[in-house]
Amino acid sequence: MERAELEVKLLGEKMDHLLVHQNNRLPEIEEVQIDYLEDLMREVKKK
């Protein structure tokens, strides 16, 4: 395999790893956002 092909393959593997890691974190991020929005809604209803 040529060096350029190897570099492209490695970059693809890194992208795959990052996407998997990002997708694993999404539920956690969404939960934090929901909690924040619920807090905001409570504050708005108080006023």
Side-chain angles (χ1 to χ4, degrees):
M1 185 179 297
E2 292 184 26
R3 181 170 174 82
E5 290 174 321
L6 180 59
E7 290 292 328
V8 170
K9 181 178 184 288
L10 290 174
L11 283 172
E13 290 173 0
K14 286 180 183 179
M15 289 295 296
D16 289 344
H17 173 76
L18 289 172
L19 288 171
V20 167
H21 182 70
Q22 177 184 2
N23 286 337
N24 289 339
R25 294 286 312 265
L26 280 177
E28 178 185 338
I29 293 167
E30 289 171 346
E31 187 174 325
V32 170
Q33 289 175 331
I34 289 168
D35 289 344
Y36 180 65
L37 286 172
E38 288 172 345
D39 289 345
L40 283 174
M41 291 299 293
R42 279 193 288 276
E43 288 298 315
V44 167
K45 288 180 181 179
K46 285 180 183 178
K47 295 180 178 181

